[in-house]
Amino acid sequence: MFTADAKTLNRIEPAVRRVLIVDPNAASARLLQDIMKSLGAREVVTEADESRALDHARELEPGMIFTERTGPRLDGEQFARRVRRSNLACRRAPIIMVTSEATASSIKGARDSGIHEFLRKPFTAGDLFKRVENVALKPRDWIEAVGYVGPDRRRFNSGEYAGPQKRSADKPKTAGEAAAAVKDQALRILAASLAQFDSDPMQAVRASKQQAATLKALAVKTGDTRLAVAAAGLEGCLAQGAPTKAMLAEPINALLALAPPEAQLARAG
């Protein structure tokens, strides 16, 4: 019989207080519900339909979401993308995909749709608890781009996948290397936001706001005055209501000009 210690249960309680389970299999949903209640969940809502699940997500504001991969009226990957790209209060809540379809392609699809963790059916209470503990106590960096919205994919931690170079990007970095990596990623996202503005203007603006804030914080931390001024310029532009692509071009290009020459060449290519 699996038991979790009281200290850990207290630590995960805020995340599991309200839970949404999206699964067309009633028995599977009931099992998840029972386990989550044993872990401290106070309110658990189950749903089989993707559209109704989004309505529940809006009303419940869950701290954690579970979803199957497929069902008669459910596409788990699409559901995750809809949550991530929405204006829901829970858009950043951990999402765990629980499914018997544990292939390399399904795991990659889950990761690329913004899923935090992947759990294969059948599973034990201990297996589930490991995933819950991971997402509740080990938050990952949030990526707000245009092509992808969700937790940092480089730290995707599916217990089912043990492929080559799973964590090749997770090597320890010096403070300087870490700062350079943050800056490079933010600038890449800004370049993509400008290039893809016409296809998804709302997400392009949201991604630009996130990167402006990231670069401003980085500038303060590293004492980079030029970066601080350029980031403030983008923030000022974004504060002017609904910016157009033409309005964003100047402040974003001013930031891109601060990238190292080799990075500018790579981005141009």
Side-chain angles (χ1 to χ4, degrees):
M1 177 67 70
F2 169 80
T3 56
D5 65 273
K7 183 177 180 180
T8 302
L9 290 177
N10 285 334
R11 293 178 66 200
I12 69 172
E13 191 274 336
V16 304
R17 189 176 300 154
R18 295 187 299 276
V19 176
L20 174 62
I21 297 170
V22 190
D23 193 331
N25 185 307
S28 176
R30 193 177 307 112
L31 174 62
L32 269 173
Q33 182 179 36
D34 290 344
I35 296 176
M36 291 311 298
K37 284 189 173 181
S38 74
L39 295 179
R42 300 179 187 177
E43 189 173 359
V44 181
V45 173
T46 62
E47 181 55 70
D49 181 273
E50 181 180 325
S51 294
R52 288 201 297 267
L54 285 169
D55 292 336
H56 287 305
R58 182 174 294 104
E59 296 168 4
L60 181 66
E61 296 186 7
M64 192 168 295
I65 301 171
F66 294 89
T67 184
E68 238 293 359
R69 184 168 185 264
T70 57
R73 297 181 303 280
L74 170 66
D75 180 327
E77 293 176 11
Q78 176 178 272
F79 171 69
R81 285 191 291 270
R82 292 174 72 181
V83 170
R84 297 307 189 208
R85 292 172 178 275
S86 72
N87 289 318
L88 296 172
C90 65
R91 64 184 293 264
R92 295 193 181 194
I95 303 179
I96 300 176
M97 180 169 283
V98 187
T99 180
S100 58
E101 302 176 52
T103 63
S105 61
S106 64
I107 293 171
K108 183 178 183 298
R111 182 200 67 179
D112 292 346
S113 64
I115 298 289
H116 275 75
E117 289 280 355
F118 192 98
L119 179 60
R120 180 172 56 187
K121 295 178 180 177
F123 58 87
T124 67
D127 293 332
L128 178 63
F129 179 72
K130 288 177 183 177
R131 303 302 196 281
V132 170
E133 184 181 25
N134 201 42
V135 299
L137 304 182
K138 301 174 185 176
R140 288 152 57 189
D141 292 338
W142 184 260
I143 306 300
E144 193 77 59
V146 179
Y148 174 76
V149 183
D152 191 338
R153 289 176 291 186
R154 293 172 300 180
R155 295 186 61 81
F156 188 70
N157 193 35
S158 167
E160 311 304 330
Y161 180 66
Q165 299 181 342
K166 177 182 178 184
R167 294 294 182 86
S168 59
D170 285 351
K171 296 177 181 178
K173 295 182 176 70
T174 65
E177 290 172 337
V182 170
K183 181 179 178 180
D184 181 68
Q185 177 172 266
L187 293 179
R188 287 177 183 275
I189 291 175
L190 283 175
S193 297
L194 193 60
Q196 300 173 37
F197 187 95
D198 293 333
S199 63
D200 194 344
M202 184 184 80
Q203 186 57 37
V205 169
R206 186 152 60 184
S208 297
K209 287 181 178 178
Q210 179 66 55
Q211 304 322 309
T214 296
L215 290 170
K216 182 178 179 180
L218 180 66
V220 171
K221 183 177 181 179
T222 59
D224 190 331
T225 304
R226 293 177 63 204
L227 182 60
V229 171
L234 178 56
E235 284 192 325
C237 177
L238 290 164
Q240 299 176 29
T244 64
K245 181 178 182 179
M247 291 169 62
L248 290 174
E250 183 176 348
I252 287 180
N253 284 326
L255 279 162
L256 297 180
L258 299 180
E262 62 273 17
Q264 293 182 28
L265 289 173
R267 197 170 287 117

